[in-house]
Amino acid sequence: MAAALENAPSASFGVVGLGVMGSMLALNLAEKTGESIAGFELDPAKAKGAEAKATKEGLGSAFKAYTDLKEFVNALTTPRRIVLLVPAGKPVDSALAALGPLLDKGDCVVDGGNEWYENTERRAAQFSEKGRAVALTAAPIFSVKAELFPGAAIVVGYDTARRRVMPKYKGCLLYTTDAA
């Protein structure tokens, strides 16, 4: 019984890509929401580094980094909310190809990179063609000077993703707009 509870989904939000921006966004979410946040990183050293930073900042119990994608997805409560913070282009295609089979109807994936809108539309159509009812949108994340607005600014363009991601996280994701 304890093992079942230990493996139960507990993270309310996931971040794929734990480089500088991804790890800082994940820790900001953990701090501002008080909820558990999951992160995924291919590079074990970056994953360990993000966990070490979380521990140093007193957020160790609110953040867990994964290097296994299936474990990461299974750690998220449903519907899943995932932000991709990987380089634009082929890395986004690779991340979505790996994530796609693991997602369910109602899940939402936000590309937090500065991707060309036609690529986002193509990717959303691919998800739709495969019968996956997953909201996919681009939402560039900009770092904001701490003196002005602590945190991250996210521009969410598609209404479906905005409704699923933003209401709960509006306190730490400062800026939304209907850019589409």
Side-chain angles (χ1 to χ4, degrees), residues 56-164:
K56 182 179 177 184
E57 294 185 15
L59 299 168
S61 62
F63 174 75
K64 174 143 177 65
Y66 296 85
T67 55
D68 180 283
L69 191 60
K70 187 173 182 179
E71 287 179 13
F72 163 75
V73 170
N74 289 337
L76 299 170
T77 57
T78 56
R80 296 174 188 95
R81 295 167 197 88
I82 300 170
V83 171
L84 296 180
L85 279 168
V86 298
K90 290 184 181 184
V92 174
D93 289 326
S94 296
L96 290 173
L99 271 171
L102 303 174
L103 300 176
D104 297 320
K105 182 178 180 176
D107 291 347
C108 182
V109 177
V110 177
D111 177 7
N114 198 6
E115 184 63 86
W116 182 247
Y117 77 96
E118 289 177 350
N119 289 338
T120 301
E121 290 175 354
R122 173 183 51 80
R123 292 172 182 133
Q126 287 171 338
F127 266 74
S128 179
E129 287 169 8
K130 294 179 180 175
R132 296 190 191 108
V134 175
L136 174 65
T137 187
I141 296 179
F142 306 95
S143 32
V144 180
K145 291 197 171 202
E147 316 79 74
L148 302 175
F149 304 102
I154 299 182
V155 180
V156 178
Y158 290 97
D159 189 55
T160 302
R162 191 185 85 212
R163 281 192 320 247
R164 291 185 187 176

Side-chain angles (χ1 to χ4, degrees), residues 19-54:
V20 173
M21 286 185 69
S23 63
M24 296 313 295
L25 177 64
L27 297 184
N28 189 26
L29 287 166
E31 179 183 13
K32 303 287 192 238
T33 66
E35 297 178 8
S36 293
I37 306 299
F40 173 77
E41 176 57 56
L42 290 172
D43 181 348
K46 283 185 183 177
K48 286 181 183 178
E51 282 191 338
K53 185 161 182 61

